[in-house]
Amino acid sequence: MQQIRSQVTERDGLFELEAGSDVLDSPRYNHDMAPTKVRERTWNKWHITALWVGMAICVPTYTLGGVLTAYFGLSVGEALLAILFANIIVLIPLTLNAFPGTKYGIPFPVLLRSSFGILGSNIPCLIRALVACGWFGIQTMFGGLAIHLFLGSVLEGWKSLGGTGEVIGFMVFWVLNLWVVIRGAESIKWLETLSAPLLVLVGVGLLVWAMPNVSMTELLAIPPKRPEGAGVASYFAAGLTAMVGFWATLSLNIPDFSRYAKSQKDQIVGQIIGLPLTMFLFASLGVVMTAASVKLVGVTVSDPVTLIGHIQSPVWVALAMALIIIATLSTNTAANIVSPTNDFQNIAPKVINRTKAVMLTGLVGLVLMGHELLKKLGLIVSDLSLETVYSNWLLGYSSLLGPIAGIMVVDYFLIKKQQLDLAGLYRDDVYPAWNWFGFIAFGVPVVLTLLSLGSDAFSWFYSYGWFTGSALGGLIYYGLSAMRPSPTAVKSAV
């Protein structure tokens, strides 16, 4: 006989929900969004490390140094320091927002129900989902190019397809990504675990190939592309903000992964080992490879897929492209599909299951890349570059996502004091449908950010958007909640 009332038990600091009919029949619940059982939390620190190695080693990371030197006026040394510092900084919200995921086994959208309301959680979820779908499309474009170059190295005549071949590669890679995520979290865990050492091997191989053709002394001595005599502080801060923005999305939805961690220690140690150093080293590799590309292939090439495509040996091209396909797949599935899959389910869990949500993510990503695909097919002509799109997203979206990160941390640690009503997050009778404190705290920094775009005096508010947004959002949320404590502050952890 099915129990009527849900029960929550605790084991070594990890909480588990035994769902009764009050939760099972709720429109806010489905199996995929349910809290993980303690026995399902199987990811140790090395699985978490592999997750970050798999996500960090990708084409956009490789190009970050070039983005900072070309668009943000930093020298090579300044750019690499900005990347390192940014990833140390972003560890703070990553590890803090991972805590409730590990403790309660809940994904990102369910956690947001505490700070934005049961229905209100859908607004920040969809904001997060949109940027993830965009990144999914961008990464799929890189993966499709790698498939195109791979097939061109093993099949005679494939190269002649040109842009059409790239579009075919895009669609093949698109299907492969969706298939992995539909298979579930264990599939992603093993993909990341198996691919991590291969990706490190690719990085070492590229470095060995490049080092004889580049002088690090000369590279670090290249002057920055900013006005002569201009101070470094403002340029560095803008670049730092953009680099924080690179993982600002994951600092929100990290509970989507930490819900599978064995313990808080595993998620903390795994993230510390896996993120900052991997990002720094692979971005450094990109700077070195771009500098060496003139001697290696005769032209300056800023992305590894195109660079390797210049190699004359079909065997080496095929091998390298196969590894890049794995690298891009491991990044894309974890970083860009898991979150919108959960976010879309949150809209109507009884109607949208994981498979439907994955397909919806794929379709949105496909639509967002429609312009680029039509350009490759020769159906339209445009000067808009993919690099410009994603470098602008880094800064703009980090400004929007900062307040959400600040609100989440303040809500869980200061307002709810790490105590959530686990069953209540899946019902309509504990937390409000809309928590207007969350929306006010989110809206004020966003409006100020938009207004600062038209003001020279306040342009710093946009340039440092993630920092200003997260700090102000957190402060406003705390102030509102402290003045009039929410009646949904949980009665007990169980």
Side-chain angles (χ1 to χ4, degrees), residues 59-60 63-64 67 71 133-146 166 170 246 302-303 305-306 328 365-376 382-394:
V59 174
T63 64
L64 285 182
V67 168
Y71 292 96
C133 290
W135 276 110
F136 165 64
I138 290 169
Q139 291 276 14
T140 303
M141 196 68 71
F142 286 128
L145 176 59
E166 290 184 40
F170 176 96
F246 191 83
S302 61
D303 80 82
V305 180
T306 305
T328 310
L366 185 62
V367 169
L368 291 175
M369 287 298 106
H371 175 274
E372 191 71 15
L373 293 171
L374 291 173
K375 192 166 75 170
K376 288 184 181 298
S382 172
D383 294 329
L384 182 65
S385 71
L386 205 58
E387 185 181 50
T388 301
V389 170
Y390 87 73
S391 62
N392 287 335
W393 271 25
L394 287 177

Side-chain angles (χ1 to χ4, degrees), residues 200-321:
V200 172
L201 188 63
V202 171
V204 172
L206 286 172
L207 190 62
V208 170
W209 181 39
M211 283 309 291
N213 296 281
V214 66
S215 166
M216 290 302 297
T217 304
E218 292 178 7
L219 185 59
L220 293 172
I222 297 174
K225 296 177 182 177
R226 57 177 180 259
E228 190 174 346
V232 67
S234 61
Y235 290 90
F236 188 84
L240 186 71
T241 302
M243 292 305 99
V244 169
F246 191 83
W247 288 124
T249 51
L250 263 295
S251 73
L252 302 183
N253 76 285
I254 190 64
D256 289 333
F257 301 102
S258 66
R259 65 194 291 229
Y260 298 104
K262 285 185 172 183
S263 68
Q264 298 293 3
K265 181 180 178 181
D266 282 302
Q267 68 92 357
I268 294 170
V269 173
Q271 294 199 86
I272 290 173
I273 296 173
L275 176 60
L277 199 57
T278 305
M279 285 291 292
F280 175 75
L281 292 176
F282 201 67
S284 301
L285 174 66
V287 170
V288 171
M289 293 299 298
T290 301
S293 61
V294 176
K295 291 185 179 179
L296 291 170
V297 298
V299 292
T300 300
V301 181
S302 61
D303 80 82
V305 180
T306 305
L307 179 62
I308 293 169
H310 281 83
I311 300 174
Q312 298 302 312
S313 167
V315 174
W316 282 110
V317 170
L319 178 61
M321 287 303 153

Side-chain angles (χ1 to χ4, degrees), residues 40-374:
E40 296 172 320
R41 301 177 204 181
T42 60
W43 294 30
N44 61 30
K45 60 180 177 292
W46 300 115
H47 293 126
I48 304 291
T49 298
L51 172 74
W52 278 109
V53 171
M55 289 196 293
I57 297 182
C58 60
V59 174
T61 300
Y62 180 101
T63 64
L64 285 182
V67 168
L68 287 175
T69 55
Y71 292 96
F72 291 90
L74 299 182
S75 69
V76 169
E78 291 163 356
L80 295 179
L81 279 178
I83 292 167
L84 180 61
F85 289 168
N87 285 283
I88 292 172
I89 290 168
V90 86
L91 268 178
I92 299 170
L94 273 166
T95 52
L96 291 176
N97 282 330
F99 265 77
T102 300
K103 181 175 180 178
Y104 291 102
I106 52 176
F108 165 64
V110 174
L111 176 60
L112 273 186
R113 294 173 182 178
S114 172
S115 51
F116 284 87
I118 299 294
L119 296 179
S121 62
N122 286 300
I123 303 300
C125 277
L126 291 176
I127 292 172
R128 168 65 181 98
L130 179 62
V131 71
C133 290
W135 276 110
F136 165 64
I138 290 169
Q139 291 276 14
T140 303
M141 196 68 71
F142 286 128
L145 176 59
I147 287 177
H148 169 64
L149 293 173
F150 173 81
L151 293 174
S153 67
V154 297
L155 296 177
E156 205 169 324
W158 185 272
K159 285 184 181 178
S160 64
L161 292 175
T164 302
E166 290 184 40
V167 173
I168 294 172
F170 176 96
M171 294 310 302
V172 171
F173 195 67
W174 184 86
V175 170
L176 187 58
N177 277 267
L178 302 189
W179 176 76
V180 168
V181 179
I182 286 172
R183 287 176 59 87
E186 282 298 299
S187 176
I188 294 172
K189 181 179 85 170
W190 289 114
L191 171 64
E192 303 296 338
T193 303
L194 294 173
S195 65
L198 290 175
L199 303 182
V200 172
L201 188 63
V202 171
V204 172
L206 286 172
L207 190 62
V208 170
W209 181 39
M211 283 309 291
N213 296 281
V214 66
S215 166
M216 290 302 297
T217 304
E218 292 178 7
L219 185 59
L220 293 172
I222 297 174
K225 296 177 182 177
R226 57 177 180 259
E228 190 174 346
V232 67
S234 61
Y235 290 90
F236 188 84
L240 186 71
T241 302
M243 292 305 99
V244 169
F246 191 83
W247 288 124
T249 51
L250 263 295
S251 73
L252 302 183
N253 76 285
I254 190 64
D256 289 333
F257 301 102
S258 66
R259 65 194 291 229
Y260 298 104
K262 285 185 172 183
S263 68
Q264 298 293 3
K265 181 180 178 181
D266 282 302
Q267 68 92 357
I268 294 170
V269 173
Q271 294 199 86
I272 290 173
I273 296 173
L275 176 60
L277 199 57
T278 305
M279 285 291 292
F280 175 75
L281 292 176
F282 201 67
S284 301
L285 174 66
V287 170
V288 171
M289 293 299 298
T290 301
S293 61
V294 176
K295 291 185 179 179
L296 291 170
V297 298
V299 292
T300 300
V301 181
S302 61
D303 80 82
V305 180
T306 305
L307 179 62
I308 293 169
H310 281 83
I311 300 174
Q312 298 302 312
S313 167
V315 174
W316 282 110
V317 170
L319 178 61
M321 287 303 153
L323 292 173
I324 284 180
I325 290 167
I326 293 171
T328 310
L329 181 66
S330 66
T331 299
N332 219 14
T333 51
N336 302 320
I337 305 181
V338 170
S339 176
T341 294
N342 289 336
D343 296 339
F344 289 137
Q345 287 185 84
N346 193 59
I347 298 170
K350 294 296 187 189
V351 178
I352 306 174
N353 60 17
R354 183 174 62 208
T355 300
K356 290 179 182 177
V358 170
M359 296 306 299
L360 184 56
T361 298
L363 289 173
V364 175
L366 185 62
V367 169
L368 291 175
M369 287 298 106
H371 175 274
E372 191 71 15
L373 293 171
L374 291 173

Side-chain angles (χ1 to χ4, degrees), residues 421-436:
D421 186 323
L422 186 54
L425 289 169
Y426 292 90
R427 303 199 309 261
D428 291 327
D429 59 347
V430 176
Y431 295 90
W434 300 84
N435 183 358
W436 296 110

